[in-house]
Amino acid sequence: AVPDLSQDGAFCAPNAQHAVRQAKVLADNLVRSMRGKALKAYVHDSVGSVAGLGLYKGVANTYGFKVKGFPAWVMHRTYHVSRVPTFNRKVRVLADWTLALIFKRETVSLGSIEQPRAEFELAALGDAKGKEAKGKEAKDKEKAA
């Protein structure tokens, strides 16, 4: 539990957002310690929060400004893509999200998740039956000739 120095007696939420920011302060403090400099405390200055609530819906409360619906969903996505490392990955994520807006959602039946090998086994059986049928056709042609 990391104390939240912006609120008496409170602790920072145990989430990735705090962990990444705390790690930066920790790394800086390790260097400061080795150089004999004063350490800095971790103080989280929150600008608000955003949350996605499903397809094109969200809520946001940033700088005291409350937004809901599609604009909040866009804010949520924008925040998260801003946290993705490297330009290449950001572009890939944005491309995937843009394509998801244009095309239908992919759905997966739970049966395929429970038995992931089933489709492959059926395909393998189909190939074996196909080869067997081709072999039989070839034999029939030989007999006819």
Side-chain angles (χ1 to χ4, degrees), residues 90-138:
K90 287 178 196 294
V91 170
R92 288 174 185 265
V93 168
L94 282 173
D96 185 51
W97 288 350
T98 303
L99 290 172
L101 288 170
I102 299 168
F103 297 108
K104 283 184 166 183
R105 294 180 72 194
E106 290 185 39
T107 57
V108 177
S109 69
L110 293 178
S112 65
I113 294 171
E114 291 173 4
Q115 300 172 346
R117 293 179 51 124
E119 292 294 325
F120 295 104
E121 291 169 350
L122 285 174
L125 287 174
D127 286 346
K129 288 181 183 177
K131 287 178 184 177
E132 189 178 300
K134 286 180 184 178
K136 185 178 178 187
E137 285 177 19

Side-chain angles (χ1 to χ4, degrees), residues 49-60 62 67 69-85 89-103 105:
S49 58
V50 293
L53 301 176
L55 271 182
Y56 318 120
K57 294 180 180 133
V59 292
T62 56
V67 182
F70 185 75
W73 178 81
V74 170
M75 290 172 69
H76 174 253
R77 288 285 176 114
T78 301
Y79 169 77
H80 283 289
V81 82
S82 74
R83 302 290 121 203
V84 172
R89 289 182 183 160
K90 287 178 196 294
V91 170
R92 288 174 185 265
V93 168
L94 282 173
D96 185 51
W97 288 350
T98 303
L99 290 172
L101 288 170
I102 299 168
F103 297 108
R105 294 180 72 194

